[in-house]
Amino acid sequence: MPEGPEIRLAADKIAKVIEGKQIDDIEVGLPHLHQGAERLKGHTVSHVETRGKAMLIHFNNQLSIYSHNQLYGVWMTAKRGEMPNTKRSLRLALHTAEQSALLYSASDIGIYQLKELDEHPFLRKIGPDILQPNLTWQTIRDRLLSKRFCNRSVSALYLDQHYIAGIGNYLRSEILFAAGIHPDYKPKQLSEKQVAELAKQTLFISKRAYETKGHTVPNALAKKLAKTKGSYESVRFMAFNREEQPCRQCVSPIVKAQRNGRRIYWCEICQPLV
């Protein structure tokens, strides 16, 4: 499933095509969208935003399109009249005079009044967006130490969108590695310094993933790895998807395990459980 950085990157791509533009025509691939789509034709997209793993396309008539890619959804863009060569099912197409924004394979899509979004079943429950501009590490620290979250393992917490929206499985492994925190610890078991470091790395690693289009390794290391001509997956991460490969910090083998029904990776030396 795409995580917050990937959804924000998709939103950036879509915004370049439709933001500030009038939507001349709309195609929908789900019956429940037909009525709402008619109310959007001829109106202008005011802005595109993300909230965690959800994307919101806002129009100047106070209507908004909500979409969640879930596992298989993907946004594409194309020149008007030049549809991508794909076998995916088209769910939504927004056409301006010159460009098209196209959503394939997703099923969680709806059209809402702007004022209704705060009561949306998903949006009303999620925590702050990890990439929102005004989110601080202090806010993350306070959420870690709150009564609601402090007694849960960080492996569980870092998949919970109620805690912070937009963090998913690869970011979970990468954030915990960067902070030097074993996934079985609970926030209340950590020192003040460890909690602060975890909060800072939560923000820093997520922003790095957005800025580098999915890479979480430090910039200097990323340049060295790029010269090795390794596969995209082999040069992206510090821990995730690197089972039995040497830790990039201590050369101890990276461990793979299951936590909360998802695979997770860590270094037993750099992230000790003591």
Side-chain angles (χ1 to χ4, degrees), residues 124-166:
R124 68 187 172 132
K125 294 180 180 180
I126 61 175
D129 183 337
I130 186 58
L131 295 176
Q132 71 180 46
N134 60 350
L135 181 63
T136 66
W137 71 265
Q138 290 92 341
T139 296
I140 299 173
R141 175 200 59 198
D142 293 345
R143 292 183 72 78
L144 281 167
L145 295 176
S146 69
K147 185 180 294 186
R148 182 179 181 185
F149 299 123
C150 72
N151 198 35
R152 298 175 59 192
S153 70
V154 290
S155 67
L157 203 53
Y158 274 77
L159 291 181
D160 188 348
Q161 301 303 292
H162 300 85
Y163 161 57
I164 298 289

Side-chain angles (χ1 to χ4, degrees), residues 22 81 90 93 105-106 108 125 130 147 162 166 175 186 216-217 229 232 244 264:
Q22 178 177 294
L90 181 65
S105 303
D108 190 5
K125 294 180 180 180
I130 186 58
K147 185 180 294 186
H162 300 85
I175 288 167
K186 299 175 181 179
T216 55
V217 297
K229 297 183 179 180
Y232 175 67
E244 297 184 355
I264 190 171

Side-chain angles (χ1 to χ4, degrees), residues 74 76 84-91 104-105:
V74 60
M76 300 183 188
N85 182 17
T86 178
K87 295 181 179 179
R88 290 175 174 269
S89 298
L90 181 65
R91 302 301 193 192
Y104 290 91
S105 303

Side-chain angles (χ1 to χ4, degrees), residues 185-218:
Y185 272 119
K186 299 175 181 179
K188 72 174 187 178
Q189 297 173 312
L190 302 175
S191 68
E192 183 178 330
K193 182 178 180 181
Q194 286 176 310
V195 171
E197 182 65 13
L198 179 54
K200 290 175 182 177
Q201 292 298 338
T202 300
L203 197 58
F204 182 76
I205 295 298
S206 300
K207 286 184 175 180
R208 174 185 281 167
Y210 168 64
E211 292 166 356
T212 62
K213 298 182 179 180
H215 289 68
T216 55
V217 297

Side-chain angles (χ1 to χ4, degrees), residues 61-85:
N61 63 347
Q62 301 301 299
L63 290 176
S64 300
I65 297 173
Y66 163 94
S67 66
H68 194 300
N69 283 20
Q70 299 176 307
L71 284 174
Y72 304 112
V74 60
W75 281 96
M76 300 183 188
T77 60
K79 290 183 178 180
R80 179 76 184 267
E82 297 181 10
M83 301 293 281
N85 182 17

